[in-house]
């Protein structure tokens, strides 16, 4: 476009703005500079490289103007290594140099960049700077050029130009100088007003709170109309809404004003008063007055031809809204169980409050109360009329998650964030899906980290999302990043067990097992020890072992902590220690035989004679107890374990018997037909391999997906189908389908199932 422009001797736009793609534009192009050379392309290539490594463009925003302003700002993009810790510092340094804000600071030629990308370790990192390379006034002037270029262009057109008439910035309301406990009242009422706007026809609201500085948030009374107008314009919003709360002896009044950005005028005002029932309880009355006031603005808000106003917020019960706000604050602080109580109270007061039901479903998932999800979200799915499409996909994703339908959950949640890329709650739930379920995608931990990072970038004040980011940072050795995030997480006063888990993770990750008082942890927080042991997993083996021993010493989680220790020992080739633990389990409980069976079939130590012999002894015992066909054995998981080993040993007839028995159990109403059906398909694949039907086995294995919920997948060895995933990878590898085999094997890149470390050596 620039070449055509120069050749023709004319500008392509009236205002002199360049034709650009905002995600990759250089600062000099963004400011329509005439002094542009090949180094602008080096910057753009740097942005592409950044996105290839980090998974997202370096700068994002809700409008093109916001993205351009971030390119021009002196602030560099977030470090790639905060998302991908496996990227080397020199490689990150090469990309950052390509993206230097000043052209003279970039590579002089593309060849220089190319050569260093081939050998990034030869790049000498510059000394760390203590400040920006150019004065603040230059950065401010550049941002003004970017925003001003767009606004000047809009002004010459004589209309709102790129300003969206259906987008309204809602600023926190100015509130009386009352008790500190009510400091968030203006923000809370603005949230209610914003959600009311969001549910009105095709309107969309932008939370003005996120646009303000901490100082401005602390004193809305001092924020000028010029500032509010400028910030709204930078967001591409044609209108913005402000308001004030007035508390009198006997009433509360809320005054709202709808402003026109382009015309610098007030389009409409609305004021409503409600009686003050009890002195000192003005918040609920203010919420009611705010709802009434926004209803008075609806005629001015709704564009011509919009559908009828939905009633998600109109005439909402103020008590229900107050409980909803309390729940939101608790959930954002990672106090999910308490939040769920308030979401339920909100819905009990106002059964038609669909937003509370959706958010309550997400809190129930975080609180491990999966049975509550269907109860909360199903009424919305049964009556979807009036629910915004992105929220409908979100609700379907939550329901799929609770049911263990990982691929469907991913599909629905990705639809939600496609419709609304700034839907932070959906990004967070997408991260949850990759963390707690097993969708058919490789590298789930990496995908989870990207989704959580996106959610946190959209809403840095929501500290609940930090929990999994801290776990991932510890697992990848980023102890500094983990410590920094942990400070923010713990400041929010989260759920005590989660706080304890974070403290254990960060302390042991940074200082090793000796940095934790395990005796105290075992006595006071054995559940936290068990959960951190699984979170450490194969990535931080010494800490995982120490945490499992602490959980075991408590006596509360004997089976799970012993399984964890067995997998850690086998992972490191310490078969004798593993066998000792399994034998001790079998003395107290025959369930220990499960570990011999799965270890002998596929796991670490699979070729060790003693493990194989011990497993075959167990097979003989089970045959004697249940007969050759195992007809009286109604435990699907034990049948599956026996059948897998039979097939692996070449005992085809015995493997067929197990397959047939599982198929029969899947058709029965009692027992666990879901699990029996899944394992019957798994056994059919193992039998096909034993019968040399490789193509049939691959088809069966590729159709097989885990169906357990997050709790079952985490702790039960059969639910995660580890042997079947390994078998599929082996078969694909044997056929020379290397990339497919690698993708299947990469699904083990997860900290989720307790049993997965057993399969990692294979």
């Amino acid at each position: 476009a620039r070449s055509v422009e120069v050749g023709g001797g004319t500008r392509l736009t009236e205002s002199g703005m360049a034709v650009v793609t905002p995600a990759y534009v250089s600062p000099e192009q963004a400011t329509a500079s005439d002094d542009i050379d090949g180094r602008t392309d080096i910057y753009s290539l740097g942005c592409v490289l950044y996105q290839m490594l980090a998974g997202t463009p370096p700068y994002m925003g809700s409008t093109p103007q916001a993205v351009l302003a971030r390119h021009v700002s002196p602030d560099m993009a977030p470090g790639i290594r905060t998302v991908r810790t496996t990227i080397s510092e020199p490689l990150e340094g090469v990309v950052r140099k390509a993206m230097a804000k000043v052209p003279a600071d970039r590579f002089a030629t593309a060849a220089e960049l190319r050569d260093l990308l081939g050998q990034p370790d030869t790049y000498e990192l510059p000394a760390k700077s203590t400040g920006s390379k150019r004065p603040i006034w230059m950065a401010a002037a550049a941002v003004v050029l970017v925003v001003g270029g767009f606004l000047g262009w809009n002004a010459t057109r004589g209309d709102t130009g790129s300003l969206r008439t259906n987008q309204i910035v809602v600023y926190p309301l100015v509130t009386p100088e009352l008790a500190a406990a009510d400091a968030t009242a203006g923000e809370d009422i603005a949230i209610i007003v914003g959600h009311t706007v969001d549910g009105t026809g095709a309107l969309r609201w932008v939370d003005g709170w996120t646009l303000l500085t901490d100082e401005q948030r602390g004193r809305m009374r001092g924020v000028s109309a010029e500032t509010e107008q400028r910030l709204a314009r930078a967001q591409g919003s044609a209108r913005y809404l402000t308001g004030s709360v007035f508390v009198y002896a006997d009433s509360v009044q809320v005054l709202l004003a709808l402003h026109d950005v382009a015309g610098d005028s007030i389009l409409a005002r609305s004021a409503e008063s409600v009686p003050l029932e009890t002195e000192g309880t003005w918040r609920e009355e203010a919420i009611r007055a705010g709802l009434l006031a926004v209803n008075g603005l609806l005629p001015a808000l709704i564009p011509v031809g919009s559908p009828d106003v939905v009633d998600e917020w109109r005439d909402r019960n103020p008590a229900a809204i107050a409980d909803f706000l309390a729940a939101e604050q608790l959930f954002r602080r990672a106090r999910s169980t308490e939040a769920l109580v308030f979401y339920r109270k909100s819905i009990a007061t106002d059964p038609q409050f669909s937003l509370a039901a959706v958010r309550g479903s997400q809190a129930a998932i975080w609180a491990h109360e999966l049975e509550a999800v269907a109860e909360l979200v199903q009424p919305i799915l049964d009556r979807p009329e009036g629910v915004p499409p992105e929220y409908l996909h979100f609700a379907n994703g939550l329901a799929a998650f609770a049911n263990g339908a990982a691929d469907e959950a991913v599909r629905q949640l990705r639809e939600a964030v496609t419709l609304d890329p700034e839907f932070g709650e959906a990004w967070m739930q997408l991260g949850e899906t990759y963390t707690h379920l097993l969708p058919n995608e490789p590298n789930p931990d990496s995908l989870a980290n990207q989704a959580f990072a996106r959610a946190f970038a959209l809403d840095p004040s929501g500290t609940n999302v930090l929990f999994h980011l801290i776990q991932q940072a510890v697992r990848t050795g980023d102890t500094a990043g983990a410590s920094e995030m942990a400070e923010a997480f713990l400041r929010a006063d989260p759920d005590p067990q989660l706080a304890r888990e974070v403290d254990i993770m960060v302390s042991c990750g940074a200082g090793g097992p000796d940095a934790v008082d395990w005796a105290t942890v075992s006595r006071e927080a054995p559940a936290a020890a068990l959960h951190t042991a699984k979170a450490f997993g194969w990535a931080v083996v010494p800490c995982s072992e120490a945490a499992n021993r602490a959980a075991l010493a408590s006596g509360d989680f004997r089976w799970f902590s012993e399984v964890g220790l067995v997998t850690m020992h086998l992972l490191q080739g310490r078969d004798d220690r593993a066998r000792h633990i399994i034998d001790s389990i079998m003395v107290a409980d025959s369930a220990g035989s499960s570990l011999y069976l799965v270890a002998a079939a596929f796991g670490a130590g699979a070729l060790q004679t003693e493990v194989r012999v011990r497993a075959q002894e167990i097979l003989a015992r089970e045959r004697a107890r249940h007969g050759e066909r195992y007809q009286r054995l109604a435990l699907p998981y034990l049948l599956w374990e026996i059948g897998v080993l039979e097939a692996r040993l070449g005992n085809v007839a015995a493997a067929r018997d197990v397959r047939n028995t599982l198929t029969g159990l899947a058709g029965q109403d009692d027992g666990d037909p879901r699990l029996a059906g899944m394992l019957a398909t798994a056994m059919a694949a193992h039998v096909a391999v034993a019968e040399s039907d490789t193509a049939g086995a691959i088809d069966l294995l590729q159709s097989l997906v885990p169906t357990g919920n997050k709790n079952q997948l985490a702790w039960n060895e059969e639910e995660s189908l580890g042997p079947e995933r390994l078998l599929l990878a082996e078969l694909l590898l044997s056929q020379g389908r290397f990339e497919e085999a690698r993708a299947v094997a990469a699904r083990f890149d997860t900290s989720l199932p307790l049993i997965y470390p057993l399969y990692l050596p294979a």
Side-chain angles (χ1 to χ4, degrees):
R2 178 67 168 162
S3 298
V4 171
E5 175 184 306
V6 172
T10 60
R11 286 282 186 184
L12 287 178
T13 63
E14 291 285 330
S15 66
M17 284 299 295
V19 179
V20 298
T21 305
Y24 313 107
V25 64
S26 68
E28 58 267 30
Q29 275 190 300
T31 54
S33 170
D34 289 325
D35 186 18
I36 291 177
D37 58 26
R39 291 172 296 183
T40 187
D41 296 321
I42 290 176
Y43 182 94
S44 297
L45 177 56
C47 294
V48 174
L49 294 169
Y50 182 103
Q51 183 172 353
M52 292 169 72
L53 294 169
T56 59
Y59 300 112
M60 294 184 291
S62 57
T63 66
Q65 299 96 309
V67 177
L68 292 173
R70 296 194 68 190
H71 279 288
V72 172
S73 164
D75 296 330
M76 291 296 288
I80 300 171
R81 285 164 50 79
T82 62
V83 178
R84 286 287 177 89
T85 55
T86 54
I87 300 300
S88 70
E89 283 193 71
L91 178 55
E92 181 182 49
V94 171
V95 176
R96 292 182 80 84
K97 182 174 176 66
M99 292 175 56
K101 298 301 179 95
V102 179
D105 293 337
R106 298 174 204 148
F107 296 103
T109 66
E112 187 181 351
L113 169 58
R114 177 201 61 202
D115 292 344
L116 278 171
L117 285 173
Q119 294 181 304
D121 290 342
T122 63
Y123 177 65
E124 185 176 344
L125 290 166
K128 295 191 180 295
S129 172
T130 57
S132 172
K133 286 191 176 181
R134 52 178 164 168
I136 294 298
W137 69 265
M138 288 181 65
V143 173
V144 169
L145 278 171
V146 173
V147 178
F150 271 85
L151 302 187
W153 181 44
N154 290 331
T156 62
R157 293 179 55 178
D159 58 24
T160 57
S162 62
L163 297 180
R164 292 184 283 277
T165 57
N166 69 327
Q167 181 173 291
I168 298 99
V169 175
V170 180
Y171 290 105
L173 276 64
V174 175
T175 55
E177 300 290 343
L178 296 175
D182 296 317
T184 63
E187 178 192 357
D188 290 345
I189 299 170
I191 290 173
I192 302 305
V193 171
H195 278 298
T196 308
V197 169
D198 220 28
T200 303
L203 296 179
R204 175 185 175 86
W205 76 294
V206 174
D207 187 358
W209 174 267
T210 64
L211 310 180
L212 301 169
T213 65
D214 289 341
E215 182 180 356
Q216 290 167 334
R217 293 169 183 168
R219 187 168 177 78
M220 280 303 301
R221 196 181 303 276
V223 179
S224 68
E226 290 79 8
T227 297
E228 292 166 338
Q229 180 189 20
R230 172 176 54 79
L231 293 173
R233 190 187 286 273
Q235 291 297 309
S237 300
R239 292 175 286 180
Y240 66 94
L241 194 148
T242 61
S244 298
V245 180
F246 302 93
V247 181
Y248 304 106
D250 58 351
S251 64
V252 175
Q253 182 184 54
V254 170
L255 172 66
L256 299 178
L258 180 64
H259 302 257
D260 175 39
V261 171
D264 190 21
S265 60
I266 293 179
L267 297 174
R269 284 190 175 92
S270 178
E272 291 289 345
S273 298
V274 298
L276 185 59
E277 300 292 340
T278 307
E279 185 177 355
T281 62
W282 61 275
R283 285 173 62 93
E284 286 193 11
E285 283 79 2
I287 290 171
R288 183 187 294 276
L291 287 168
L292 294 172
V294 78
N295 284 341
L297 289 179
L298 290 178
L301 282 168
I302 302 174
V304 176
S306 291
D308 292 337
V309 178
V310 296
D311 293 329
E312 177 59 30
W313 291 92
R314 176 184 282 184
D315 300 327
R316 281 272 82 87
N317 185 299
I321 291 174
D323 285 331
F324 172 79
L325 290 171
E328 287 283 288
Q329 291 179 4
L330 286 165
F331 184 43
R332 288 157 59 82
R333 290 165 45 206
R335 302 186 77 99
S336 306
T337 302
E338 297 168 72
L340 184 56
V341 172
F342 281 93
Y343 282 124
R344 287 184 182 278
K345 285 179 62 180
S346 179
I347 298 164
T349 303
D350 191 343
Q352 305 305 313
F353 201 171
S354 60
L355 182 60
V358 173
R359 299 288 283 136
S361 298
Q362 190 172 23
I365 287 172
W366 279 64
H368 305 282
E369 297 188 29
L370 300 178
E371 68 285 347
V373 176
E375 163 206 339
L376 292 167
V377 86
Q378 197 58 48
I380 299 168
L381 301 180
D382 292 340
R383 296 187 306 276
E385 299 81 10
V387 179
E390 64 271 24
Y391 260 89
L392 198 55
H393 284 298
F394 184 43
N396 275 296
L398 292 168
F401 181 99
N403 292 329
D407 293 313
E408 177 63 9
V410 168
R411 188 183 73 80
Q412 293 285 354
L413 293 167
R414 287 211 172 275
E415 287 284 348
V417 298
T418 298
L419 289 170
D420 183 0
E422 297 185 7
F423 195 168
E425 293 88 350
W427 281 110
M428 182 167 68
Q429 195 57 42
L430 187 60
E432 280 284 290
T433 305
Y434 286 123
T435 298
H436 291 291
L437 300 183
L438 294 171
N440 279 317
E441 295 185 58
N443 310 110
D445 271 6
S446 179
L447 293 171
N449 205 47
Q450 290 178 38
F452 285 130
R454 181 67 188 274
F456 186 66
L458 290 168
D459 182 13
S461 59
T463 53
N464 49 358
V465 73
L466 287 175
F467 179 71
H468 288 304
L469 288 171
I470 293 167
Q471 289 182 326
Q472 182 68 357
V474 171
R475 283 196 295 267
T476 56
D478 181 13
T479 55
S483 296
E484 185 178 346
M485 289 187 286
E487 288 181 13
F489 182 78
L490 296 174
R491 276 198 304 270
D493 189 26
D495 176 88
Q497 178 170 315
L498 296 184
R500 197 64 176 264
E501 289 180 32
V502 165
D503 181 58
I504 296 170
M505 286 278 291
V506 174
S507 298
C508 196
D514 292 342
V516 179
D517 181 356
W518 295 109
T520 301
V521 170
S522 176
R523 184 174 62 254
E524 297 179 356
L530 182 68
H531 283 276
T532 52
K534 188 170 71 65
F536 283 126
W538 51 266
V540 194
V541 170
C543 290
S544 181
E545 283 191 44
N548 270 313
R549 284 196 295 269
L552 180 62
S554 73
D556 293 342
F557 305 101
R558 183 175 182 83
W559 165 253
F560 298 117
S561 52
E562 286 176 325
V563 171
L565 286 170
V566 166
T567 59
M568 290 301 105
H569 288 319
L570 290 176
L571 182 61
Q572 299 173 90
R574 302 194 302 234
D575 292 358
D576 288 341
R577 295 191 195 181
R579 282 197 299 274
H580 175 75
I581 294 174
I582 299 174
D583 287 338
S584 68
I585 297 173
M586 293 184 67
V587 169
D589 184 351
S590 63
S593 61
S594 295
L595 293 174
Y596 270 125
L597 293 170
V598 294
F602 271 92
L607 300 180
Q608 298 297 317
T609 302
E610 291 182 45
V611 174
R612 183 65 61 85
V613 168
R614 190 76 174 89
Q616 288 177 299
E617 291 173 1
I618 294 168
L619 282 180
R621 185 195 67 193
E622 296 300 332
R623 289 192 188 112
R625 288 175 58 192
H626 304 292
E628 185 66 25
R629 294 181 178 275
Y630 314 114
Q631 289 298 325
R632 297 195 306 277
L633 186 62
L635 296 173
Y637 79 89
L638 188 54
L639 266 173
W640 164 76
E641 289 165 352
I642 291 171
V644 170
L645 184 55
E646 295 277 33
R648 203 72 170 170
L649 293 171
N651 302 328
V652 181
R656 286 198 200 103
D657 289 340
V658 172
R659 177 198 61 192
N660 296 339
T661 303
L662 283 168
T663 302
L665 291 174
Q668 298 177 5
D669 292 333
D670 57 348
D672 191 347
R674 173 201 64 82
L675 179 60
M678 182 181 76
L679 297 180
T681 303
M683 272 311 307
H686 289 287
V687 170
V689 172
E691 294 174 338
S692 301
D693 180 10
T694 300
I698 289 176
D699 288 342
L700 284 167
L701 292 167
Q702 288 182 327
S703 71
L704 189 63
V705 294
T707 58
N709 63 38
K710 62 181 285 190
N711 299 327
Q712 293 165 329
L713 286 171
W715 305 106
N716 299 346
E717 65 266 26
E718 72 279 4
E719 294 282 2
S720 57
L721 298 174
E724 287 69 35
R725 290 191 161 180
L726 272 177
L727 180 59
L728 177 57
E730 286 181 350
L731 296 176
L732 291 169
L733 191 66
S734 70
Q735 293 200 338
R737 296 159 67 174
F738 305 122
E739 190 56 34
E740 293 176 76
R742 187 207 60 78
V744 172
R747 295 177 194 166
F748 284 95
D749 172 32
T750 172
S751 56
L752 170 64
L754 179 68
I755 199 70
Y756 261 19
L758 186 69
Y759 307 119
L760 286 175

